[in-house]
mmCIF file of all heavy atoms in Angstrom:
data_model
loop_
_atom_site.group_PDB
_atom_site.id
_atom_site.type_symbol
_atom_site.label_atom_id
_atom_site.label_comp_id
_atom_site.label_asym_id
_atom_site.label_seq_id
_atom_site.Cartn_x
_atom_site.Cartn_y
_atom_site.Cartn_z
ATOM 1 N N PHE I 684 -3.366 -3.920 9.543
ATOM 2 C CA PHE I 684 -3.500 -2.794 10.453
ATOM 3 C C PHE I 684 -4.759 -1.996 10.118
ATOM 4 O O PHE I 684 -5.053 -1.755 8.999
ATOM 5 C CB PHE I 684 -2.297 -1.882 10.464
ATOM 6 C CG PHE I 684 -0.993 -2.587 10.797
ATOM 7 C CD1 PHE I 684 0.056 -2.584 9.900
ATOM 8 C CD2 PHE I 684 -0.872 -3.255 11.990
ATOM 9 C CE1 PHE I 684 1.262 -3.215 10.223
ATOM 10 C CE2 PHE I 684 0.306 -3.913 12.302
ATOM 11 C CZ PHE I 684 1.382 -3.920 11.422
ATOM 12 N N GLU I 685 -5.467 -1.592 11.171
ATOM 13 C CA GLU I 685 -6.715 -0.855 10.981
ATOM 14 C C GLU I 685 -6.504 0.590 10.599
ATOM 15 O O GLU I 685 -7.284 1.206 9.900
ATOM 16 C CB GLU I 685 -7.580 -0.930 12.223
ATOM 17 C CG GLU I 685 -8.065 -2.355 12.561
ATOM 18 C CD GLU I 685 -9.143 -2.806 11.589
ATOM 19 O OE1 GLU I 685 -9.973 -1.965 11.195
ATOM 20 O OE2 GLU I 685 -9.118 -3.978 11.254
ATOM 21 N N ALA I 686 -5.491 1.243 11.227
ATOM 22 C CA ALA I 686 -5.292 2.666 11.024
ATOM 23 C C ALA I 686 -4.041 2.943 10.199
ATOM 24 O O ALA I 686 -3.229 2.060 9.968
ATOM 25 C CB ALA I 686 -5.130 3.345 12.425
ATOM 26 N N ASP I 687 -3.917 4.183 9.750
ATOM 27 C CA ASP I 687 -2.777 4.609 8.912
ATOM 28 C C ASP I 687 -1.522 4.954 9.725
ATOM 29 O O ASP I 687 -0.506 5.352 9.190
ATOM 30 C CB ASP I 687 -3.151 5.862 8.105
ATOM 31 C CG ASP I 687 -4.047 5.540 6.953
ATOM 32 O OD1 ASP I 687 -3.907 4.422 6.409
ATOM 33 O OD2 ASP I 687 -4.863 6.377 6.608
ATOM 34 N N LEU I 688 -1.619 4.864 11.044
ATOM 35 C CA LEU I 688 -0.496 5.279 11.879
ATOM 36 C C LEU I 688 0.574 4.178 11.920
ATOM 37 O O LEU I 688 0.370 3.039 12.312
ATOM 38 C CB LEU I 688 -0.981 5.523 13.282
ATOM 39 C CG LEU I 688 0.032 6.079 14.291
ATOM 40 C CD1 LEU I 688 0.484 7.437 13.865
ATOM 41 C CD2 LEU I 688 -0.571 6.155 15.674
ATOM 42 N N TRP I 689 1.717 4.515 11.446
ATOM 43 C CA TRP I 689 2.872 3.587 11.388
ATOM 44 C C TRP I 689 3.818 3.889 12.526
ATOM 45 O O TRP I 689 4.529 4.875 12.539
ATOM 46 C CB TRP I 689 3.612 3.656 10.034
ATOM 47 C CG TRP I 689 2.845 2.991 8.959
ATOM 48 C CD1 TRP I 689 1.956 3.573 8.133
ATOM 49 C CD2 TRP I 689 2.892 1.604 8.605
ATOM 50 N NE1 TRP I 689 1.404 2.665 7.292
ATOM 51 C CE2 TRP I 689 1.951 1.417 7.531
ATOM 52 C CE3 TRP I 689 3.578 0.510 9.099
ATOM 53 C CZ2 TRP I 689 1.797 0.187 6.937
ATOM 54 C CZ3 TRP I 689 3.363 -0.686 8.497
ATOM 55 C CH2 TRP I 689 2.482 -0.855 7.440
ATOM 56 N N THR I 690 3.823 2.977 13.522
ATOM 57 C CA THR I 690 4.725 3.135 14.654
ATOM 58 C C THR I 690 5.993 2.328 14.407
ATOM 59 O O THR I 690 6.053 1.530 13.473
ATOM 60 C CB THR I 690 4.033 2.648 15.935
ATOM 61 O OG1 THR I 690 3.784 1.208 15.765
ATOM 62 C CG2 THR I 690 2.735 3.363 16.256
ATOM 63 N N LEU I 691 7.008 2.563 15.266
ATOM 64 C CA LEU I 691 8.270 1.762 15.187
ATOM 65 C C LEU I 691 7.941 0.290 15.319
ATOM 66 O O LEU I 691 8.536 -0.538 14.657
ATOM 67 C CB LEU I 691 9.260 2.266 16.190
ATOM 68 C CG LEU I 691 9.793 3.675 16.012
ATOM 69 C CD1 LEU I 691 10.671 4.007 17.183
ATOM 70 C CD2 LEU I 691 10.539 3.795 14.717
ATOM 71 N N GLU I 692 7.027 -0.007 16.211
ATOM 72 C CA GLU I 692 6.639 -1.426 16.429
ATOM 73 C C GLU I 692 6.071 -2.041 15.174
ATOM 74 O O GLU I 692 6.396 -3.191 14.830
ATOM 75 C CB GLU I 692 5.658 -1.551 17.630
ATOM 76 C CG GLU I 692 6.279 -1.284 18.931
ATOM 77 C CD GLU I 692 6.361 0.186 19.302
ATOM 78 O OE1 GLU I 692 5.806 1.036 18.549
ATOM 79 O OE2 GLU I 692 7.025 0.523 20.270
ATOM 80 N N ARG I 693 5.142 -1.307 14.529
ATOM 81 C CA ARG I 693 4.532 -1.855 13.308
ATOM 82 C C ARG I 693 5.515 -2.004 12.165
ATOM 83 O O ARG I 693 5.488 -3.016 11.495
ATOM 84 C CB ARG I 693 3.382 -0.872 12.817
ATOM 85 C CG ARG I 693 2.171 -0.998 13.649
ATOM 86 C CD ARG I 693 1.063 -0.187 13.042
ATOM 87 N NE ARG I 693 -0.151 -0.358 13.758
ATOM 88 C CZ ARG I 693 -1.304 0.185 13.420
ATOM 89 N NH1 ARG I 693 -1.390 0.974 12.367
ATOM 90 N NH2 ARG I 693 -2.410 -0.030 14.144
ATOM 91 N N VAL I 694 6.407 -1.060 12.022
ATOM 92 C CA VAL I 694 7.414 -1.175 10.968
ATOM 93 C C VAL I 694 8.290 -2.387 11.255
ATOM 94 O O VAL I 694 8.628 -3.181 10.348
ATOM 95 C CB VAL I 694 8.254 0.117 10.832
ATOM 96 C CG1 VAL I 694 9.424 -0.080 9.905
ATOM 97 C CG2 VAL I 694 7.378 1.282 10.403
ATOM 98 N N GLY I 695 8.654 -2.554 12.535
ATOM 99 C CA GLY I 695 9.465 -3.696 12.942
ATOM 100 C C GLY I 695 8.775 -5.023 12.653
ATOM 101 O O GLY I 695 9.410 -5.979 12.192
ATOM 102 N N LEU I 696 7.456 -5.054 12.911
ATOM 103 C CA LEU I 696 6.671 -6.249 12.595
ATOM 104 C C LEU I 696 6.682 -6.581 11.113
ATOM 105 O O LEU I 696 6.874 -7.727 10.731
ATOM 106 C CB LEU I 696 5.200 -6.039 13.032
ATOM 107 C CG LEU I 696 4.799 -6.561 14.363
ATOM 108 C CD1 LEU I 696 3.363 -6.102 14.720
ATOM 109 C CD2 LEU I 696 4.822 -8.060 14.391
ATOM 110 N N VAL I 697 6.494 -5.551 10.327
ATOM 111 C CA VAL I 697 6.462 -5.743 8.850
ATOM 112 C C VAL I 697 7.867 -6.243 8.358
ATOM 113 O O VAL I 697 7.943 -7.140 7.555
ATOM 114 C CB VAL I 697 6.021 -4.494 8.109
ATOM 115 C CG1 VAL I 697 6.173 -4.656 6.613
ATOM 116 C CG2 VAL I 697 4.557 -4.193 8.473
ATOM 117 N N VAL I 698 8.888 -5.612 8.845
ATOM 118 C CA VAL I 698 10.272 -6.037 8.495
ATOM 119 C C VAL I 698 10.458 -7.483 8.847
ATOM 120 O O VAL I 698 10.987 -8.272 8.075
ATOM 121 C CB VAL I 698 11.337 -5.118 9.161
ATOM 122 C CG1 VAL I 698 12.720 -5.717 8.998
ATOM 123 C CG2 VAL I 698 11.274 -3.745 8.581
ATOM 124 N N ASP I 699 10.054 -7.876 10.002
ATOM 125 C CA ASP I 699 10.124 -9.249 10.486
ATOM 126 C C ASP I 699 9.372 -10.184 9.617
ATOM 127 O O ASP I 699 9.859 -11.250 9.178
ATOM 128 C CB ASP I 699 9.695 -9.361 11.909
ATOM 129 C CG ASP I 699 10.072 -10.737 12.550
ATOM 130 O OD1 ASP I 699 10.915 -11.415 12.050
ATOM 131 O OD2 ASP I 699 9.401 -11.103 13.575
ATOM 132 N N ARG I 700 8.067 -9.850 9.270
ATOM 133 C CA ARG I 700 7.267 -10.704 8.398
ATOM 134 C C ARG I 700 7.825 -10.874 6.997
ATOM 135 O O ARG I 700 7.840 -11.944 6.481
ATOM 136 C CB ARG I 700 5.867 -10.130 8.286
ATOM 137 C CG ARG I 700 5.056 -10.263 9.508
ATOM 138 C CD ARG I 700 3.699 -9.634 9.293
ATOM 139 N NE ARG I 700 2.962 -9.451 10.556
ATOM 140 C CZ ARG I 700 1.890 -8.749 10.693
ATOM 141 N NH1 ARG I 700 1.366 -8.110 9.610
ATOM 142 N NH2 ARG I 700 1.295 -8.651 11.842
ATOM 143 N N VAL I 701 8.368 -9.768 6.439
ATOM 144 C CA VAL I 701 8.854 -9.778 5.092
ATOM 145 C C VAL I 701 10.259 -10.423 4.964
ATOM 146 O O VAL I 701 10.509 -11.206 4.049
ATOM 147 C CB VAL I 701 8.844 -8.373 4.478
ATOM 148 C CG1 VAL I 701 9.573 -8.338 3.115
ATOM 149 C CG2 VAL I 701 7.444 -7.859 4.379
ATOM 150 N N THR I 702 11.149 -10.108 5.908
ATOM 151 C CA THR I 702 12.552 -10.550 5.775
ATOM 152 C C THR I 702 12.918 -11.600 6.775
ATOM 153 O O THR I 702 13.955 -12.265 6.581
ATOM 154 C CB THR I 702 13.516 -9.330 6.006
ATOM 155 O OG1 THR I 702 13.404 -8.904 7.336
ATOM 156 C CG2 THR I 702 13.162 -8.213 5.052
ATOM 157 N N GLY I 703 12.165 -11.805 7.833
ATOM 158 C CA GLY I 703 12.538 -12.748 8.886
ATOM 159 C C GLY I 703 13.539 -12.180 9.827
ATOM 160 O O GLY I 703 14.074 -12.890 10.683
ATOM 161 N N VAL I 704 13.819 -10.916 9.728
ATOM 162 C CA VAL I 704 14.815 -10.223 10.612
ATOM 163 C C VAL I 704 14.086 -9.424 11.694
ATOM 164 O O VAL I 704 13.322 -8.505 11.319
ATOM 165 C CB VAL I 704 15.779 -9.319 9.807
ATOM 166 C CG1 VAL I 704 16.725 -8.568 10.748
ATOM 167 C CG2 VAL I 704 16.504 -10.111 8.793
ATOM 168 N N ALA I 705 14.247 -9.757 12.950
ATOM 169 C CA ALA I 705 13.601 -9.052 14.037
ATOM 170 C C ALA I 705 14.525 -7.867 14.453
ATOM 171 O O ALA I 705 15.724 -8.063 14.681
ATOM 172 C CB ALA I 705 13.397 -9.979 15.219
ATOM 173 N N LEU I 706 13.926 -6.685 14.450
ATOM 174 C CA LEU I 706 14.731 -5.462 14.807
ATOM 175 C C LEU I 706 14.113 -4.873 16.046
ATOM 176 O O LEU I 706 12.888 -4.862 16.240
ATOM 177 C CB LEU I 706 14.627 -4.432 13.660
ATOM 178 C CG LEU I 706 15.188 -4.834 12.317
ATOM 179 C CD1 LEU I 706 14.924 -3.714 11.302
ATOM 180 C CD2 LEU I 706 16.722 -5.062 12.409
ATOM 181 N N SER I 707 14.971 -4.313 16.855
ATOM 182 C CA SER I 707 14.503 -3.537 18.044
ATOM 183 C C SER I 707 13.927 -2.173 17.551
ATOM 184 O O SER I 707 14.153 -1.783 16.413
ATOM 185 C CB SER I 707 15.667 -3.248 19.019
ATOM 186 O OG SER I 707 16.599 -2.352 18.441
ATOM 187 N N ARG I 708 13.223 -1.518 18.459
ATOM 188 C CA ARG I 708 12.710 -0.181 18.101
ATOM 189 C C ARG I 708 13.811 0.759 17.728
ATOM 190 O O ARG I 708 13.670 1.535 16.760
ATOM 191 C CB ARG I 708 11.900 0.427 19.281
ATOM 192 C CG ARG I 708 10.568 -0.262 19.507
ATOM 193 C CD ARG I 708 9.831 0.295 20.687
ATOM 194 N NE ARG I 708 9.498 1.665 20.406
ATOM 195 C CZ ARG I 708 9.378 2.579 21.356
ATOM 196 N NH1 ARG I 708 9.556 2.298 22.624
ATOM 197 N NH2 ARG I 708 9.039 3.806 21.021
ATOM 198 N N ALA I 709 14.933 0.682 18.484
ATOM 199 C CA ALA I 709 16.079 1.579 18.150
ATOM 200 C C ALA I 709 16.627 1.270 16.791
ATOM 201 O O ALA I 709 17.008 2.201 16.048
ATOM 202 C CB ALA I 709 17.158 1.395 19.228
ATOM 203 N N SER I 710 16.684 0.005 16.429
ATOM 204 C CA SER I 710 17.223 -0.375 15.090
ATOM 205 C C SER I 710 16.290 0.078 13.983
ATOM 206 O O SER I 710 16.746 0.500 12.943
ATOM 207 C CB SER I 710 17.427 -1.879 15.011
ATOM 208 O OG SER I 710 18.421 -2.291 15.928
ATOM 209 N N VAL I 711 14.942 -0.027 14.252
ATOM 210 C CA VAL I 711 14.018 0.454 13.220
ATOM 211 C C VAL I 711 14.183 1.945 13.043
ATOM 212 O O VAL I 711 14.185 2.463 11.925
ATOM 213 C CB VAL I 711 12.572 0.112 13.636
ATOM 214 C CG1 VAL I 711 11.555 0.746 12.734
ATOM 215 C CG2 VAL I 711 12.329 -1.412 13.633
ATOM 216 N N TRP I 712 14.330 2.677 14.156
ATOM 217 C CA TRP I 712 14.513 4.131 14.089
ATOM 218 C C TRP I 712 15.774 4.486 13.287
ATOM 219 O O TRP I 712 15.719 5.342 12.427
ATOM 220 C CB TRP I 712 14.626 4.688 15.506
ATOM 221 C CG TRP I 712 14.821 6.183 15.541
ATOM 222 C CD1 TRP I 712 16.032 6.823 15.827
ATOM 223 C CD2 TRP I 712 13.904 7.205 15.222
ATOM 224 N NE1 TRP I 712 15.865 8.156 15.736
ATOM 225 C CE2 TRP I 712 14.584 8.453 15.339
ATOM 226 C CE3 TRP I 712 12.573 7.190 14.803
ATOM 227 C CZ2 TRP I 712 13.956 9.639 15.128
ATOM 228 C CZ3 TRP I 712 11.956 8.376 14.595
ATOM 229 C CH2 TRP I 712 12.605 9.592 14.719
ATOM 230 N N ARG I 713 16.890 3.815 13.574
ATOM 231 C CA ARG I 713 18.107 4.069 12.815
ATOM 232 C C ARG I 713 17.970 3.739 11.349
ATOM 233 O O ARG I 713 18.473 4.473 10.488
ATOM 234 C CB ARG I 713 19.320 3.284 13.407
ATOM 235 C CG ARG I 713 19.832 3.896 14.698
ATOM 236 C CD ARG I 713 21.178 3.268 15.120
ATOM 237 N NE ARG I 713 21.042 1.834 15.359
ATOM 238 C CZ ARG I 713 20.742 1.288 16.545
ATOM 239 N NH1 ARG I 713 20.476 2.049 17.552
ATOM 240 N NH2 ARG I 713 20.646 -0.009 16.684
ATOM 241 N N LEU I 714 17.269 2.649 11.061
ATOM 242 C CA LEU I 714 17.012 2.262 9.665
ATOM 243 C C LEU I 714 16.215 3.356 8.915
ATOM 244 O O LEU I 714 16.586 3.815 7.832
ATOM 245 C CB LEU I 714 16.275 0.960 9.579
ATOM 246 C CG LEU I 714 15.780 0.517 8.210
ATOM 247 C CD1 LEU I 714 16.949 0.143 7.292
ATOM 248 C CD2 LEU I 714 14.854 -0.660 8.289
ATOM 249 N N LEU I 715 15.149 3.820 9.527
ATOM 250 C CA LEU I 715 14.246 4.810 8.904
ATOM 251 C C LEU I 715 14.909 6.171 8.761
ATOM 252 O O LEU I 715 14.829 6.822 7.740
ATOM 253 C CB LEU I 715 12.958 4.927 9.673
ATOM 254 C CG LEU I 715 12.081 3.681 9.674
ATOM 255 C CD1 LEU I 715 10.825 3.914 10.539
ATOM 256 C CD2 LEU I 715 11.645 3.296 8.257
ATOM 257 N N THR I 716 15.546 6.633 9.856
ATOM 258 C CA THR I 716 16.122 7.994 9.836
ATOM 259 C C THR I 716 17.513 8.067 9.260
ATOM 260 O O THR I 716 17.814 8.956 8.455
ATOM 261 C CB THR I 716 16.146 8.590 11.259
ATOM 262 O OG1 THR I 716 16.920 7.749 12.090
ATOM 263 C CG2 THR I 716 14.748 8.728 11.827
ATOM 264 N N GLY I 717 18.366 7.132 9.638
ATOM 265 C CA GLY I 717 19.752 7.192 9.166
ATOM 266 C C GLY I 717 19.912 6.631 7.757
ATOM 267 O O GLY I 717 20.511 7.288 6.896
ATOM 268 N N ARG I 718 19.446 5.441 7.544
ATOM 269 C CA ARG I 718 19.670 4.793 6.236
ATOM 270 C C ARG I 718 18.752 5.345 5.149
ATOM 271 O O ARG I 718 19.187 5.559 4.036
ATOM 272 C CB ARG I 718 19.338 3.335 6.395
ATOM 273 C CG ARG I 718 20.204 2.313 6.131
ATOM 274 C CD ARG I 718 21.400 1.747 6.172
ATOM 275 N NE ARG I 718 21.649 1.021 4.949
ATOM 276 C CZ ARG I 718 21.939 -0.225 4.908
ATOM 277 N NH1 ARG I 718 22.087 -0.889 6.002
ATOM 278 N NH2 ARG I 718 22.233 -0.757 3.772
ATOM 279 N N LEU I 719 17.476 5.514 5.459
ATOM 280 C CA LEU I 719 16.514 5.937 4.483
ATOM 281 C C LEU I 719 16.265 7.426 4.442
ATOM 282 O O LEU I 719 15.645 7.942 3.549
ATOM 283 C CB LEU I 719 15.173 5.199 4.679
ATOM 284 C CG LEU I 719 15.247 3.682 4.597
ATOM 285 C CD1 LEU I 719 13.880 3.049 4.958
ATOM 286 C CD2 LEU I 719 15.675 3.287 3.216
ATOM 287 N N GLY I 720 16.765 8.162 5.472
ATOM 288 C CA GLY I 720 16.598 9.585 5.484
ATOM 289 C C GLY I 720 15.210 10.081 5.776
ATOM 290 O O GLY I 720 14.860 11.224 5.482
ATOM 291 N N TRP I 721 14.362 9.230 6.352
ATOM 292 C CA TRP I 721 12.998 9.642 6.682
ATOM 293 C C TRP I 721 13.027 10.439 7.957
ATOM 294 O O TRP I 721 13.950 10.420 8.766
ATOM 295 C CB TRP I 721 12.084 8.413 6.861
ATOM 296 C CG TRP I 721 11.864 7.690 5.580
ATOM 297 C CD1 TRP I 721 12.439 7.855 4.389
ATOM 298 C CD2 TRP I 721 10.910 6.631 5.424
ATOM 299 N NE1 TRP I 721 11.935 6.985 3.456
ATOM 300 C CE2 TRP I 721 10.964 6.220 4.047
ATOM 301 C CE3 TRP I 721 9.985 5.974 6.215
ATOM 302 C CZ2 TRP I 721 10.205 5.175 3.525
ATOM 303 C CZ3 TRP I 721 9.208 4.986 5.700
ATOM 304 C CH2 TRP I 721 9.277 4.576 4.401
ATOM 305 N N SER I 722 11.948 11.198 8.168
ATOM 306 C CA SER I 722 11.836 12.020 9.415
ATOM 307 C C SER I 722 10.525 11.683 10.106
ATOM 308 O O SER I 722 9.618 11.173 9.517
ATOM 309 C CB SER I 722 11.910 13.513 9.088
ATOM 310 O OG SER I 722 10.812 13.885 8.286
ATOM 311 N N LEU I 723 10.431 12.092 11.390
ATOM 312 C CA LEU I 723 9.249 11.881 12.161
ATOM 313 C C LEU I 723 8.128 12.709 11.598
ATOM 314 O O LEU I 723 8.304 13.889 11.334
ATOM 315 C CB LEU I 723 9.518 12.254 13.592
ATOM 316 C CG LEU I 723 8.341 12.202 14.572
ATOM 317 C CD1 LEU I 723 7.863 10.751 14.756
ATOM 318 C CD2 LEU I 723 8.702 12.765 15.921
ATOM 319 N N GLN I 724 6.975 12.116 11.387
ATOM 320 C CA GLN I 724 5.786 12.801 10.897
ATOM 321 C C GLN I 724 4.628 12.554 11.865
ATOM 322 O O GLN I 724 4.481 11.411 12.319
ATOM 323 C CB GLN I 724 5.402 12.287 9.503
ATOM 324 C CG GLN I 724 6.495 12.363 8.493
ATOM 325 C CD GLN I 724 6.743 13.812 8.067
ATOM 326 O OE1 GLN I 724 5.851 14.541 7.730
ATOM 327 N NE2 GLN I 724 8.029 14.165 8.068
ATOM 328 N N ARG I 725 3.940 13.568 12.174
ATOM 329 C CA ARG I 725 2.739 13.400 13.022
ATOM 330 C C ARG I 725 1.486 13.603 12.201
ATOM 331 O O ARG I 725 1.415 14.558 11.414
ATOM 332 C CB ARG I 725 2.787 14.416 14.178
ATOM 333 C CG ARG I 725 4.021 14.231 15.048
ATOM 334 C CD ARG I 725 3.744 14.730 16.413
ATOM 335 N NE ARG I 725 4.941 14.749 17.208
ATOM 336 C CZ ARG I 725 5.321 13.718 17.989
ATOM 337 N NH1 ARG I 725 4.600 12.642 18.019
ATOM 338 N NH2 ARG I 725 6.448 13.780 18.686
#
């Protein structure tokens, strides 16, 4: 990736490349916010 901006799509791509598990945007959001406790940052 050229820029530092991590979108749900990019995180989903990385998860897919590393684990082979394809996640929807909603699933990535739940993983980041619910499971990991991360919050939206601008």
Side-chain angles (χ1 to χ4, degrees):
F684 301 123
E685 294 288 323
D687 285 329
L688 185 64
W689 285 91
T690 62
L691 294 175
E692 289 82 8
R693 283 188 177 183
V694 173
L696 263 172
V697 173
V698 169
D699 190 20
R700 288 179 193 167
V701 172
T702 66
V704 176
L706 298 175
S707 68
R708 289 178 64 209
S710 294
V711 172
W712 178 255
R713 282 192 300 271
L714 173 69
L715 294 176
T716 59
R718 237 34 225 238
L719 299 175
W721 291 11
S722 63
L723 176 66
Q724 304 289 310
R725 299 206 187 268

